[in-house]
Structure formats: structure tokens, C-alpha cells
Amino acid sequence: MDIEFAPQDEDFRAEVRSFIEENYPKHLVGADRGDLSKEDFLAWHKILAKKGWVAPSWPEEFGGTGWTVTQKYIWNEESASFGTIPPLPFGIGMLGPVIYTFGNQEQKDWVLPGILSGETWWCQGYSEPGAGSDLAGLKTKAELDGDEYVVNGHKIWTTLAQHADWMFCLVRTSSEGKPQEGISFLLIDMNTPGIEVKPIITIDGGHEVNEVFLTDVRVPAKNLVGEQDKGWTIAKFLLGNERSGIAGVARSKKAIDRLRDIARAELEDGKPLLDCGAFSRKIAELEIDLTALEYTELRTLASESKGQGPGPESSILKIKGTEIQQRITELTMEAVGNYASPWVPQLDRGDNYLAIGPEHAEGVSQTYFNNRKTSIYGGSNEIQRNIIAKMVLGL
Amino acid sequence: MDFSFTEEQTLLRNMVQSFVQDNYDFDSRMKIVHSDEGMSHEIWGQFAELGLLAAPFSEEMGGLDGGPIETMVIMEELGRGLVVEPYLPTVVLCGGILNRHGSDAQKEAHLAGIIGGEDIWALAYSEPQSRFNPADVLTSAKADGDGYVLNGTKAVVAAAPWANKLIVSARISGDQRDSDGLGLFIVEKSADGVSTQDYPTVDGNRASEVTLENVAVGADALVGAAGNGLALLEEALDHGIGAVCAEAIGHMKCLNDATVEYCKTRKQFGVPIGSFQVLQHRMVDMFMEYEQSVSMTYMVNMKLSEGEAERKKAAAGAKVQIGKSGRFVGQEAVQLHGGMGMTEELNVGHYFKRLTVIDTQFGNVDHHLKRFAAA
Ligand SMILES: Cc1cc2nc3c(=O)[nH]c(=O)nc-3n(C[C@H](O)[C@H](O)[C@H](O)COP(=O)(O)OP(=O)(O)OC[C@H]3O[C@@H](n4cnc5c(N)ncnc54)[C@H](O)[C@@H]3O)c2cc1C
Ligand SMILES: Cc1cc2nc3c(=O)[nH]c(=O)nc-3n(C[C@H](O)[C@H](O)[C@H](O)COP(=O)(O)OP(=O)(O)OC[C@H]3O[C@@H](n4cnc5c(N)ncnc54)[C@H](O)[C@@H]3O)c2cc1C
């Protein structure tokens, strides 16, 4: 057992740190994810793509970096501590691995470069009104008509579909047998006639998710990934990857640092809130939980590097990671006291807008409200507990 | 021992409940919240007609002579409707201060305007640096001839955009956090030197930063004795706590009912999600938090008229309970609704947001734990 970094790892850290500092777009330093345009989302992605660093998790032959587990870990830490806007998960984290694992050569050739370059924006069309936790209950139907599928159905909660060029979509191609058996994994061009995207506004006032209606959408049969009716395996493979990326340890560390800065600036009876025992103990507790999660994640990474894929244990990372993120946002909101309640939507600010209260209070409540999603999406935390109960404990 | 409501109190509850049901459904509420004004003067006028704005005032003033229990009944029902109209600052906080401590002349001058619905009041007591300590006051009140000149900034003053009158805490003497030396002053919002920066708050209400620059007020603006303002203010805030506790149990009740109903009808894996035992237990916990909150709300509202020490301890304890329970119930209601719970379209998120603000209003859990421990 050993967690020291070797000298060459420290060199690597210096290299990536100075690359980030020198190349990260100035106007996006400290930017709030809620306010980003499509170009903003992609700006850093495109810089990383040029450098060849956009997909460290991929095998080198498909465009990965060939970094060791330790190097990837350092990369995540440095990116988080600088506060970069990470490349969107839908292409790099979700679809890419599906394509290089299950796709045919032609699909690899046309899908992977677009993901890497940031040219193609993907969204995830899994959930439906009737199929949330019970994903296999999905009803969106795809029927083969010549060399095209005709797709009809209704997807919901589709993140950032308003910007998407393409959607990877779970569709029902058969209603025989168990519900899991008739599902297929289809790539759909969002510009195809018959697709309508409708915004859903969330409780933080943001437009992040959408409904996607599909009416007689014609999709070339060659856009099927893997075999027809065998999409469930792919769907679950993707969910396993989604889960393990979700722990967000490095970003939570950064968020705790920021919380501590805020608590230093906020006063209670003239003294920094951070010097108030009760509050600093709450931060300490969070930090301890995060340390435990960090080591749990490192143990998972270490076993992955020995060739074991992310197992049901990755559900621990999802549950604990999101609980910690939620507690950080909650405590940050608590730290700013009365100034947690002002809320001037971006659109209503006008030219003479004066910030209300201290700058660090801006948006903390919205972040708290928005983060309630993390225990719901990516397989809710109840579902993750069910997975551990069944797959790990054998109940 | 008796926890039952009198016939009048039950009638009052029924009246407010049916008014809210008939005139303040969720869609109407959201229309009001999104309007330029952010509140409905029509609804406010109807409150006046129903006598709600008169509830706590004496009969000779034209009131109904109600106490904290009547306020509690009203606030709970307003809570169920997520009503944004400023009952709390106008009637409970400022009306309460005037009623308990105003001179005859002040009552004469101001209560009729509250009861009739002509005036809206806001209590400007917190400051950018004060966090939850009402004694932490930098706003100064300098004696000037017969009157005073006020200077300072007040932070996140609820309902101030709508108000035409303010009660402002200001320091007549002493240092920044001294408990002696404060005064509570009646200030017309239109007075020279008063300016506001108005904004919405996350719970669908409105608030302002209020700046006072050489605002001259007469001696008759001071409520109570000079230097004794903190005692009056703390008492008012404790009454405010009694009221928001009641509002919060209204929210929690609605959230719990909505969640149970949703879990009975929402099907996943071929069964209602309410059949999953983990969710059943979660809803049982929500239910227990609600019941504990009801108990503490009754407790505090029965003790508001007792001695100062007992009142303070009761208010601190109740606020801790409501803060914790409100957070739990709000978060779990969203969680159990899944993605739907995250949408602006559903009322669940709005109850959750109001409960979140209530947790901070008049001091959060940590603040009142400390206050309770010291009491
Ligand atoms: C902000 C956000 C972004 C999203 N982005 C995407 C996206 O890009 N693409 C996409 O396809 N989907 C996306 N989703 C959808 C997300 O995956 C679903 O919301 C999630 O799977 C839960 O489904 P549901 O909302 O239908 O809730 P339901 O499944 O109806 O669950 C409601 C409640 O019941 C609980 N529950 C359900 N089944 C069980 C059980 N067996 N045991 C115990 N408890 C149970 C749940 O945990 C939850 O608390 C997103 C959701 C959100 C909120
Ligand atoms: C100190 C002590 C004093 C007692 N005194 C008395 C007494 O005076 N008279 C008497 O008759 N009995 C008494 N009991 C026995 C007690 O009633 C039983 O222990 C109890 O009913 C649990 O039964 P069990 O021990 O068989 O556990 P089990 O029923 O096997 O339960 C094991 C665990 O599973 C949980 N569980 C079981 N069923 C469910 C379910 N449907 N849903 C969710 N969780 C479930 C339980 O909560 C428990 O955690 C006593 C027990 C103790 C520990």
C-alpha cells in the first residue's frame, strides 16, 4: 500500500497545471454553469481536443491520453481546483465508450471524431414519463421500414437537448418476452423532421432539461448500435460508467475550499463564521466524509486499473458523492445567512444591475435547489441502494 | 389541559381556508408572483374585508381582539396557499409592535390604516453585517431638536418593495452590538433620504435593501422608550417565529399530502412506488416531523404571552424544530417526486423553497440552538 506520488507524477502535475493556467479561457474563469451559452460549454472542450487531452478515460487507440490511473487522478484534481468547465459527459463519458466497445467500424469512424472535437453535441434519450427508475418500462417505439426505423414516442428530462445535434436513444423494438429484451440503442439526428424539443424549467429557474417528442421520425437502420433488441446490455454498461464519474471528489474539495473562504468572510457578531465552533465542525465533518469517499474511489480506481470494470460498488460513489455535494451546497447557502434569499433572474438584471449583498452569496440558493437533482438522476439514490442490496449483499 | 380550538377559532380557520381555496390556487399564486407588482392588492383588500388584517387588534381600535392562536390559525392556512401578501410584516410584526407598545396617538394614527388595508408595513431590522443578531445595529439615530436623524443600511427587508411604512431599528447610543441604546422608529418610505433597491427572493416574495440618508423623523416616530428598542424587537421577532412556524406546518402538511398521493398513483416496476417500504418509511418520517412541528408550533404560540425568559426559550426551540423538519420534509418531498419534484411547474418545489427561506428567517437552526442553550 502506497499513496505517495512519484517525482514524475509531480512533474506531470506541474505540466497540466501550467497548461490549464495558460490556456483556460479567461472569460470562463469562475463562470456559473447555469449561465453558459453553447459556445461557452464547448470552449474549453475544443482547446483540450486540440491538445489531445479531452478524453483521458478512453483507450489511446481511440483518442485517449494513455495516462496512468495516477495521472488521470492528478488531471481531475488540477482541473477541479482551477474550476474548469468539464467537457460535457454525454459524448466523452457516456456515448464514446459505448461506441468503441459495441459500435461497428463505420460507427467508430463517424461518431468518435465528432465527440472528441466537440463538433457534435450529444444528448441522452433514456428516460420517459412512464420510465424513470424503471427504465426498462420505456415505450418509445422504433419499427423497421425498409432500411429505416420509424420512431414514435416521448422522452423527458433530456439534459441540454436544446443544444444537441444528436441524441443516443433507447427505443423499444420488440414487446415480446421480458421488457429488457426488446430494447435497442439508436443514434438519432436531432434535425430529423418529427422531433420537437420543449423546455422544462427547474426549481432553480434554469433551463437545463427538456421534453423530446418524436413523431414518425425516420432513422437510418445503420444508426443502430449493437444488435437489435439487445440494447439493454449497452444501456446498463453506459449507466455503470455514468455512475462512477459522478462521485466528483476533486470538485467537492474545491467547493469545500470555497465554502471555507465564504465562512471566513462572513461575520457572526463581528467574528468570522469560520471561527464559530459549530460551523467549522460541520465543515470538518464534510471534509472527513469526503476523505473517506476519496479513498473509496481510489480503491475502486486501483482495482479498475487491474482490469476489473466498475462493479456495483460504484453505486457507493454515486450515493456518497451526491450526498456530499448536496451538503456542501446546503452549508454554503447557510453560510451566507440572509443573503441566501435575494434572487434576480439573469434576464431581469438590466444594465444598471447592482449585486445584492456580498458577491460570494450570488447564486448559492439556486445551486442548492439545483443540486437536489443529483440524488434523483443517474439512477436515484434509492435505486443505487437497491443495487447494493441485491448485487453486493445478495439480499 | 386542552388543545382544542374554540368555535370562533374554527370558524376563522374555515373562513381563511375557503378563501384561499377559492381565490388562491397555485396558478393564481404564480400569476401574482410573476406580475410586476409581485403581490395582489385585490387580495389584500379582500383580507381587509374579511377582517383578517384586524385579527390581533383590540375591539375599540376596530379589531377582533385575537391573540397568537388566532394568528397561528391564519398563518397556517396562508401557508397552505403559499400566500405572498405581506400579512406577517404588516400585521404580525409591525402591527404587533404598534399594538403592544405604541402610544395612544401612534395607535390612533396607524392601526386603522393596517386594519383597512390601506397601508403595508415592513420591519427593517437586519443589516448587511448583522447576520441573525438583532442587536448588531450600525444604523444610527442622532437626537436632533425634538426628533432624530437616521443614517444606515438595512438588509433583505421582506415586503419593503410593497410597503409605504417602515419600522426601523436604529442605534441612539452605545456600541455596535450593545443590547441597550436601540430605538424603533416609524418611517414613511416616501420620506426624504429613504431609498430602496428592490428585488425578488427565492420563495416568490419581494425584499429590499433600504438606505437611510439623513432621514429626519419627529419624536413621535419613536415607539416605546428611547434605548429600549431591542426588547421590543426581540419580542416582535419571537411573535414572527410563532407565525412562520404556523406557516411552515401549513407547507409541510401540503407537501406530505401531495407526496403520499403521488406515491399511491405513480407506478414504476408495475406497482405504485408507495408500495416500496423504503419510501413508506420515508413518508412516515416526514409525517412524524410534521407532527413534532405542529406540537412545537402550538407550544410556542401558547407561550408567546408568557414572561420574557420562557417566551425566548420557546421561540428558539420551536424555530430549531421547524428549521430541521422543514428542510427534511422539503427535501424528501422533492426526492420522492423524482424528476417531477425538480420542476417549476409543480407546487412541491415552491413549498420547498419557502420552507428553505423560513429556515433562515429570524435566525437559522444554529442561531436558535445557541439561543436555546443560553436561555
Ligand atoms: C436534472 C435532471 C437531469 C436529467 N437528465 C437526464 C438525461 O439527460 N437523460 C435521461 O434519459 N434522463 C435524465 N434524467 C432523468 C432521471 O434519470 C430520472 O429522473 C430518474 O431515473 C428517476 O426517474 P423519475 O424521475 O421518473 O422518478 P421515479 O422513478 O418515478 O421515482 C420517484 C421516486 O421513487 C423512488 N423509487 C422508484 N423506484 C424505486 C424502488 N424500486 N425502490 C425504492 N424507491 C424507488 C425514486 O428513488 C424516487 O425517489 C434527469 C433527471 C433530472 C432531475
Ligand atoms: C429487549 C427486548 C425485549 C422484548 N420484550 C418482549 C416482550 O416483553 N414480549 C414479547 O412478546 N416480545 C418481546 N420482545 C421480542 C420482540 O417483540 C421481537 O424481538 C421483535 O418483534 C422482533 O422480532 P425478531 O427478534 O424475531 O426479529 P425479526 O422479526 O426477525 O426482525 C429482524 C429485523 O428485521 C426487521 N423487520 C422484520 N420484518 C420487517 C418488515 N416487514 N419490514 C421491515 N423490517 C422488518 C426488524 O425490524 C428487525 O430489524 C423483546 C425484544 C427485545 C430485544
Side-chain angles (χ1 to χ4, degrees):
Chain A
M1 284 212 206
D2 179 13
I3 57 144
E4 292 298 313
F5 291 111
Q8 65 269 28
D9 291 330
E10 293 301 348
D11 292 346
F12 177 79
R13 184 187 294 278
E15 182 193 348
V16 300
R17 180 177 295 178
S18 68
F19 178 79
I20 295 173
E21 283 169 0
E22 283 160 28
N23 295 284
Y24 191 74
K26 297 282 170 289
H27 72 286
L28 294 177
V29 174
D32 187 359
R33 196 168 180 260
D35 304 333
L36 298 180
S37 68
K38 183 169 181 176
E39 289 68 36
D40 290 342
F41 267 119
L42 288 170
W44 183 230
H45 181 123
K46 290 188 170 166
I47 293 167
L48 290 176
K50 276 213 189 85
K51 177 79 177 167
W53 284 3
V54 79
S57 57
W58 291 15
E60 234 178 322
E61 52 171 321
F62 298 115
T65 50
W67 290 340
T68 63
V69 168
T70 310
Q71 285 175 320
K72 287 184 216 166
Y73 172 81
I74 290 172
W75 168 249
N76 282 336
E77 269 212 321
E78 290 302 319
S79 300
S81 98
F82 191 86
T84 64
I85 295 159
L88 288 161
F90 310 105
I92 304 285
M94 298 181 185
L95 183 63
V98 163
I99 295 297
Y100 62 66
T101 310
F102 298 96
N104 56 35
Q105 193 55 47
E106 194 191 334
Q107 288 166 341
K108 287 177 196 165
D109 292 342
W110 72 263
V111 174
L112 298 182
I115 292 178
L116 288 169
S117 68
E119 215 42 51
T120 319
W121 183 304
W122 288 89
C123 65
Q124 179 185 22
Y126 271 35
S127 305
E128 297 182 6
S133 298
D134 180 15
L135 186 57
L138 64 92
K139 292 204 174 71
T140 294
K141 223 163 130 181
E143 284 170 306
L144 205 51
D145 177 24
D147 56 0
E148 287 177 328
Y149 285 102
V150 181
V151 183
N152 280 287
H154 179 185
K155 294 290 173 181
I156 193 170
W157 316 121
T158 325
T159 299
L160 297 175
Q162 70 267 36
H163 298 319
D165 306 302
W166 282 77
M167 168 165 70
F168 55 89
C169 194
L170 294 181
V171 293
R172 180 156 300 289
T173 36
S174 157
S175 40
E176 316 264 294
K178 290 204 309 182
Q180 286 83 351
E181 280 164 13
I183 292 171
S184 301
F185 194 100
L186 203 57
L187 309 178
I188 301 181
D189 184 342
M190 291 296 278
N191 290 317
T192 321
I195 298 182
E196 191 196 352
V197 178
K198 272 176 76 179
I200 298 174
I201 304 302
T202 43
I203 54 176
D204 55 309
H207 173 201
E208 190 172 305
V209 287
N210 302 274
E211 291 183 90
V212 179
F213 296 90
L214 303 114
T215 314
D216 292 331
V217 176
R218 303 191 75 88
V219 180
K222 66 180 173 55
N223 293 9
L224 176 76
V225 180
E227 276 178 64
Q228 179 174 306
D229 301 340
K230 298 275 185 282
W232 188 245
T233 317
I234 305 179
K236 281 198 308 180
F237 167 86
L238 183 147
L239 290 177
N241 289 332
E242 180 181 2
R243 222 167 273 154
S244 49
I246 232 160
V249 171
R251 292 194 184 261
S252 287
K253 273 192 195 170
K254 166 86 173 167
I256 290 180
D257 287 344
R258 175 159 172 270
L259 167 59
R260 199 177 276 110
D261 288 342
I262 292 175
R264 202 172 284 121
E266 285 286 334
L267 300 181
E268 184 180 64
D269 294 336
K271 292 191 293 286
L273 186 61
L274 192 63
D275 295 344
C276 148
F279 201 83
S280 62
R281 278 194 289 276
K282 283 198 264 192
I283 300 182
E285 214 176 329
L286 257 176
E287 207 164 3
I288 293 164
D289 286 346
L290 185 59
T291 308
L293 180 64
E294 179 175 20
Y295 275 76
T296 303
E297 186 177 37
L298 288 172
R299 285 168 54 213
T300 316
L301 288 175
S303 64
E304 263 178 57
S305 72
K306 294 204 180 103
Q308 287 146 320
E313 294 83 358
S314 65
S315 292
I316 304 178
L317 304 180
K318 199 280 172 165
I319 296 170
K320 289 293 174 190
T322 54
E323 285 177 355
I324 288 170
Q325 288 156 25
Q326 291 180 334
R327 277 165 56 209
I328 295 172
T329 63
E330 188 171 315
L331 215 49
T332 306
M333 181 178 67
E334 205 175 305
V336 304
N338 296 314
Y339 281 111
S341 43
W343 182 13
V344 184
Q346 206 71 31
L347 288 175
D348 300 347
R349 288 189 178 178
D351 295 338
N352 308 323
Y353 173 72
L354 283 175
I356 297 147
E359 203 180 313
H360 63 229
E362 175 105 31
V364 296
S365 299
Q366 285 91 307
T367 306
Y368 166 71
F369 295 133
N370 181 278
N371 257 265
R372 301 315 305 172
K373 73 187 176 189
T374 63
S375 49
I376 296 170
Y377 69 21
S380 76
N381 286 12
E382 286 77 22
I383 294 300
Q384 304 297 343
R385 284 184 168 85
N386 287 349
I387 291 172
I388 298 178
K390 197 167 153 192
M391 310 297 286
V392 183
L393 305 182
L395 293 165
Chain B
M1 203 177 327
D2 185 8
F3 283 103
S4 56
F5 292 97
T6 63
E7 204 175 310
E8 288 80 17
Q9 288 162 347
T10 305
L11 285 172
L12 177 66
R13 179 186 297 283
N14 293 344
M15 178 185 77
V16 184
Q17 196 170 76
S18 56
F19 178 80
V20 169
Q21 268 166 12
D22 296 345
N23 302 281
Y24 219 89
D25 60 41
F26 181 62
D27 286 345
S28 318
R29 190 253 183 196
M30 292 315 290
K31 277 208 192 86
I32 293 171
V33 165
H34 289 137
S35 67
D36 285 346
E37 182 69 0
M39 70 165 278
S40 160
H41 290 280
E42 194 188 332
I43 296 282
W44 194 248
Q46 286 166 318
F47 281 3
E49 276 163 34
L50 292 172
L52 293 186
L53 304 179
F57 306 114
S58 68
E59 281 172 23
E60 62 264 29
M61 283 290 154
L64 304 177
D65 227 351
I69 303 300
E70 282 72 20
T71 300
M72 176 179 90
V73 165
I74 294 170
M75 286 299 295
E76 184 181 347
E77 296 306 325
L78 297 183
R80 293 165 69 101
L82 275 173
V83 169
V84 296
E85 280 66 23
Y87 193 84
L88 172 70
T90 302
V91 178
V92 181
L93 297 174
C94 295
I97 290 171
L98 294 168
N99 197 30
R100 285 185 297 271
H101 303 287
S103 63
D104 288 344
Q106 284 168 334
K107 289 191 205 177
E108 197 66 48
H110 298 298
L111 291 188
I114 293 179
I115 291 171
E118 291 89 26
D119 294 329
I120 291 177
W121 290 69
L123 180 60
Y125 70 99
S126 58
E127 299 193 353
Q129 82 295 342
S130 70
R131 202 170 174 85
F132 305 127
N133 180 359
D136 190 334
V137 174
L138 288 171
T139 298
S140 63
K142 258 213 187 97
D144 181 44
D146 271 354
Y148 295 87
V149 174
L150 310 182
N151 275 288
T153 305
K154 294 291 172 179
V156 199
V157 183
W162 304 319
N164 56 334
K165 292 172 193 274
L166 309 171
I167 291 182
V168 176
S169 64
R171 186 161 288 290
I172 300 169
S173 65
D175 290 332
Q176 185 180 342
R177 283 180 291 276
D178 284 355
S179 43
D180 287 337
L182 293 186
L184 297 185
F185 296 91
I186 299 168
V187 177
E188 297 286 331
K189 205 175 82 175
S190 58
D192 281 347
V194 178
S195 57
T196 62
Q197 183 190 4
D198 302 343
Y199 47 82
T201 51
V202 294
D203 54 352
N205 282 283
R206 302 278 167 107
S208 309
E209 303 298 280
V210 178
T211 309
L212 303 141
E213 219 180 316
N214 295 321
V215 178
V217 295
D220 59 349
L222 179 69
V223 186
N228 193 32
L230 185 62
L232 275 54
L233 180 56
E234 284 189 329
E235 180 191 34
L237 298 180
D238 286 345
H239 279 262
I241 287 174
V244 289
C245 286
E247 188 188 350
I249 61 174
H251 301 148
M252 287 187 230
K253 175 82 172 115
C254 290
L255 282 176
N256 286 356
D257 289 352
T259 305
V260 168
E261 187 53 36
Y262 187 76
C263 289
K264 280 184 185 167
T265 47
R266 167 71 174 165
K267 280 193 176 165
Q268 287 288 274
F269 306 99
V271 294
I273 57 174
S275 65
F276 301 127
Q277 203 170 38
V278 280
L279 299 192
Q280 289 174 355
H281 285 194
R282 207 81 64 78
M283 286 182 274
V284 170
D285 287 341
M286 292 164 74
F287 169 74
M288 293 195 294
E289 291 298 322
Y290 163 72
E291 288 295 337
Q292 297 281 76
S293 298
V294 170
S295 301
M296 288 300 259
T297 300
Y298 290 1
M299 183 282 294
V300 63
N301 282 295
M302 287 188 290
K303 293 202 168 186
L304 281 175
S305 326
E306 310 245 328
E308 183 180 333
E310 201 160 344
R311 184 203 76 218
K312 282 185 180 175
K313 191 160 187 168
K319 193 64 177 34
V320 169
Q321 177 74 50
I322 289 307
K324 292 207 291 199
S325 298
R327 189 178 293 198
F328 180 80
V329 169
Q331 291 179 349
E332 293 303 338
V334 170
Q335 181 70 21
L336 268 55
H337 277 81
M340 284 307 296
M342 287 296 297
T343 61
E344 180 77 4
E345 196 187 317
L346 203 71
N347 60 9
V348 167
H350 297 268
Y351 285 110
F352 169 49
K353 288 192 273 188
R354 176 65 193 139
L355 282 169
T356 305
V357 171
I358 286 180
D359 183 11
T360 307
Q361 204 169 7
F362 309 127
N364 66 9
V365 170
D366 278 3
H367 173 78
H368 285 288
L369 272 176
K370 224 162 62 178
R371 198 169 169 236
F372 187 90

